[in-house]
Amino acid sequence: MKEPSFLDAASLAALPRGPGVYIFRGDGKLPIYIGKSVDIRSRVLAHLRAEDEAEMMSQSRRVDFIETAGEIGALLLESHLIKTLNPLYNIRLRRLRNLCSIQLHDQAGAWVPEIVTGKDLGLGQVEGLYGLFSSRHAAQAKLRELADQHNLCQGLLGLEKLSARGCFGLQVKTCLGACVGKEERLAHDQRLLSALEDMKVHAWPFAGAIDLVEESQGWVQRHRLENWRYLGTWCSKSAQLPVTLQQSFDLDTYKILVKPIMLGTARLESVN
């Protein structure tokens, strides 16, 4: 395959076949695009063949890369670099600064949901939170969706005012009547808990920081993590990757880490 003349041939030839992050750079200061792959060379060449990315590629002059020892490291580094370098063509993984979540409160033996923001409490540090949303409106829309799917009362969920006749859903037979005593509140709340379970935001399960370790053919990287924040990576090849410490909870970092940590599929080591 003949490479585009506008891209530096030497930078293409240097691309490795392993995991890591690649950075398309142009004539300006901002990167054109940042991506990750388990096979950097293959993924970059795929960009060059993509017809719908021709405009982006025409602005690129060279490709830089940072190798990682595994996929988790590539995901963490990609997310971090996009948020700190603001590439021109990256839309996803932009920082969401005011996340909202649904928190349940026990009021006289009944569960009442409240929409809270990251400013109100430490996201990822407390139990009893469900879902992570970009706005209060998005959280309310999710509660309405769950109400429709599970015959929940929107009045009891705080989404509408209740009258003596109950909620609007009772009139159109989408609510089973917990708001007027036709259904036991316990049964209603059990359905609510069941509906929210898959959205649970896990609190950090360790007393402090831990290292998530990835290794490839004797090459080791240790990703330092605490309260779902990415604090940096020590690398046996290059000592320390240039990473700015995350000062607050980040949704993308949480999504990258929650499954391998909670399912026990990642190699974790305590920090002395």
Side-chain angles (χ1 to χ4, degrees):
M1 171 183 169
K2 184 178 179 180
E3 308 300 353
S5 59
F6 45 80
L7 270 171
D8 176 62
S11 71
L12 288 173
L15 295 172
R17 300 305 303 255
V21 170
Y22 55 90
I23 306 169
F24 284 104
R25 297 189 182 276
D27 295 324
K29 293 183 178 180
L30 290 179
I32 299 293
Y33 181 82
I34 296 175
K36 61 83 187 168
S37 178
V38 294
D39 184 335
I40 294 175
R41 182 174 183 80
S42 176
R43 185 69 189 97
V44 168
L45 294 181
H47 280 292
L48 303 185
R49 294 189 293 265
E51 294 183 3
D52 60 344
E53 297 181 357
E55 180 182 351
M56 182 177 81
M57 291 298 98
S58 70
Q59 298 178 45
S60 301
R61 299 294 175 261
R62 76 176 192 275
V63 189
D64 295 336
F65 65 88
I66 302 173
E67 292 182 275
T68 61
E71 185 176 12
I72 294 176
L75 287 164
L76 288 170
L77 187 58
E78 178 202 32
S79 176
H80 169 77
L81 290 177
I82 288 173
K83 291 177 174 65
T84 54
L85 299 181
N86 296 310
L88 295 174
Y89 278 86
N90 285 94
I91 298 175
R92 66 185 185 87
L93 296 179
R94 297 293 191 184
R95 189 182 302 278
L96 296 174
R97 298 187 181 276
N98 297 310
L99 289 171
C100 296
S101 188
I102 299 168
Q103 186 175 42
L104 294 181
H105 296 281
D106 186 349
Q107 293 185 6
W111 288 115
V112 177
E114 177 190 2
I115 297 172
V116 294
T117 70
K119 294 180 179 180
D120 298 330
L121 71 166
L123 286 174
Q125 300 180 49
V126 298
E127 296 287 359
L129 297 179
Y130 300 89
L132 292 167
F133 307 94
S134 60
S135 66
R136 292 182 62 86
H137 177 76
Q140 290 172 337
K142 186 62 179 181
L143 280 174
R144 289 192 178 91
E145 177 187 325
L146 294 178
D148 290 340
Q149 292 175 346
H150 300 277
N151 298 115
L152 299 171
C153 174
Q154 294 201 30
L156 296 181
L157 298 185
L159 298 172
E160 65 175 72
K161 291 184 178 180
L162 286 173
S163 68
R165 299 176 59 192
C167 68
F168 176 75
L170 182 63
Q171 317 307 317
V172 297
K173 303 187 186 310
T174 58
C175 169
L176 299 184
C179 50
V180 293
K182 289 185 177 180
E183 179 192 30
E184 289 189 6
R185 182 64 184 268
L186 177 61
H188 174 276
D189 287 358
Q190 285 176 336
R191 288 202 310 281
L192 172 61
L193 287 172
S194 178
L196 290 172
E197 183 60 31
D198 289 341
M199 299 163 50
K200 182 178 180 180
V201 181
H202 293 276
W204 182 245
F206 308 102
I210 57 100
D211 282 345
L212 190 153
V213 183
E214 292 184 296
E215 185 172 356
S216 175
Q217 299 179 343
W219 172 29
V220 180
Q221 286 188 323
R222 298 176 179 274
H223 312 299
R224 183 65 53 88
L225 312 166
E226 186 173 18
N227 293 329
W228 302 113
R229 293 180 296 125
Y230 176 37
L231 305 183
T233 292
W234 176 87
C235 177
S236 63
K237 281 188 177 181
S238 59
Q240 192 78 19
L241 294 182
V243 173
T244 304
L245 302 187
Q246 284 184 350
Q247 300 298 323
S248 59
F249 182 90
D250 177 76
L251 175 58
D252 296 305
T253 301
Y254 174 80
K255 287 181 176 179
I256 292 166
L257 296 173
V258 65
K259 284 187 177 181
I261 287 180
M262 299 308 297
L263 295 178
T265 58
R267 175 182 164 188
L268 305 176
E269 294 183 0
S270 59
V271 176
N272 296 325

